Amino acid sequence: MAVRKPQPLKTIGSLVLVGAGKMGGAMLDGWIARGLTPKRIVIVEPQPAKPIKALTRRGVTLNPKPGPKAKADAAAIVIAVKPQTAPDAVPPLGLYVGASTLVLSIMAGRTIGFLEKTLPPGTAIVRAMPNTPASIGRGITVAVANAKVSKRQRKLAGDLLSAIGSVEWVDDEALIDAVTALSGSGPAYVFLLAEAMAKAGIAAGLPAALATRLARETVAGSGELLHRSALDAATLRQNVTSPGGTTAAALEVLMGPGGFDDLLTKAIAAATKRSRELAG
Ligand SMILES: NC(=O)c1ccc[n+]([C@@H]2O[C@H](COP(=O)([O-])OP(=O)(O)OC[C@H]3O[C@@H](n4cnc5c(N)ncnc54)[C@H](OP(=O)(O)O)[C@@H]3O)[C@@H](O)[C@H]2O)c1
């Protein structure tokens, strides 16, 4: 499916953000940068950080007493609390849910079924799985909607999520476990690659500081090249591999039995299984 282009967020109604931590805070920054009027934002957050508190001076409402005004007004409620907080944090949100309210949850492992059980009957729900590059607006999020989500609400969810990076949609919620294992947990695999390359450089005789810098910049630069290039990863790899050369010698090891492909297949299968076990 096509990657959504960033959309300006000027025209949507009011928005309730529940949990303004790392992910919620990143989304909030993205929304405001895209022109969402701070006056339309309501934040529910027990321990707001300084920048969140400062937003009240720009018109954001922080920790209001739930009431009929919020209920009538909320176009979307975005849930960005930790999954373990959900049994406490989600039920009171029913007060904000009106006939046209969209609930967008980014909680890992909290299923549409859980949200449907916890929110008023008939609530339109989108469950989404972002990843940490969201904090610099370069995340990738996969979203899935329940049957109550209208076309307009789906667009709204896409617009809200595109504030932290690219968005893909799937129809089958069961795929979210594999998505979690690939892109949700994926940044950790890439950071591990940088760590392992640095260690291998030290083992090959480089000073530690130099090996660490070379590994970091190689991973970051290659990621950026992949991001900007129209070529796929395999072609970019082939383009730096001369037959019989140094890269080919390394790839023979990495692509051989027990190499990258085997390891990542096993790693992602383990993460998918764990995601299934944790889901609820
Ligand atoms: N970080 C990631 O890479 C990533 C990737 C995919 C999905 N997610 C999901 O994104 C969600 C947020 O993750 P995060 O890393 O942003 O966590 P976080 O930084 O801990 O943010 C969660 C925020 O919610 C607040 N909170 C707790 N109870 C609340 C309540 N009852 N009502 C309103 N707010 C409440 C927390 O406040 P206190 O600090 O006071 O508890 C905290 O500020 C999680 O569900 C996670 O599964 C994260």
Side-chain angles (χ1 to χ4, degrees):
M1 282 179 129
V3 171
R4 293 181 61 86
K5 284 233 170 80
Q7 299 286 321
L9 272 171
K10 287 206 162 101
T11 54
I12 67 168
S14 76
L15 202 137
V16 181
L17 173 67
V18 186
K22 288 185 282 296
M23 276 289 169
M27 285 196 286
L28 193 59
D29 288 345
W31 298 333
I32 292 173
R34 297 229 173 147
L36 183 67
T37 314
K39 278 195 178 125
R40 290 190 169 166
I41 303 174
V42 177
I43 300 173
V44 181
E45 166 59 61
Q47 291 182 55
K50 261 192 189 160
I52 303 292
K53 281 188 195 156
L55 284 173
T56 55
R57 289 200 291 274
R58 294 179 59 187
V60 166
T61 305
L62 184 58
N63 294 325
K65 289 202 170 75
K69 190 169 176 287
K71 178 175 175 171
D73 212 15
I77 301 172
V78 179
I79 307 177
V81 299
K82 291 276 190 207
Q84 56 272 29
T85 316
D88 293 327
V90 179
L93 301 179
L95 284 168
Y96 293 93
V97 176
S100 59
T101 304
L102 166 75
V103 172
L104 168 60
S105 164
I106 62 156
M107 292 184 292
R110 287 296 181 181
T111 60
I112 288 178
F114 165 84
L115 292 162
E116 283 175 342
K117 263 189 285 167
T118 317
L119 291 164
T123 303
I125 296 166
V126 168
R127 175 186 173 195
M129 170 52 57
N131 63 4
T132 45
S135 63
I136 55 161
R138 287 281 299 274
I140 174 96
T141 300
V142 178
V144 57
N146 78 350
K148 304 292 176 190
V149 174
S150 67
K151 236 179 163 180
R152 187 189 56 77
Q153 288 172 322
R154 197 178 161 102
K155 180 177 180 313
L156 172 58
D159 288 350
L160 292 171
L161 291 169
S162 68
I164 49 168
S166 305
V167 184
E168 293 282 333
W169 287 87
V170 292
D171 294 327
D172 179 3
E173 189 183 5
L175 294 178
I176 294 291
D177 294 311
V179 165
T180 303
L182 178 55
S183 55
S185 304
Y189 317 154
V190 177
F191 300 139
L192 177 64
L193 172 67
E195 289 177 68
M197 282 175 68
K199 279 185 202 154
I202 295 165
L206 292 174
L210 179 61
T212 305
R213 180 160 166 71
L214 294 182
R216 183 187 180 106
E217 294 304 317
T218 302
V219 170
S222 306
E224 188 60 27
L225 179 59
L226 183 60
H227 175 69
R228 291 194 203 179
S229 175
L231 302 174
D232 62 16
T235 307
L236 288 169
R237 169 176 56 74
Q238 282 152 11
N239 287 351
V240 290
T241 313
S242 330
T246 55
T247 312
L251 290 179
E252 216 167 285
V253 177
L254 291 173
M255 297 174 81
F260 255 10
D261 282 9
D262 288 348
L263 278 175
L264 279 173
T265 304
K266 270 193 228 158
I268 287 175
T272 305
K273 180 170 171 278
R274 188 69 185 132
S275 175
R276 270 188 214 121
E277 287 164 2
L278 292 174

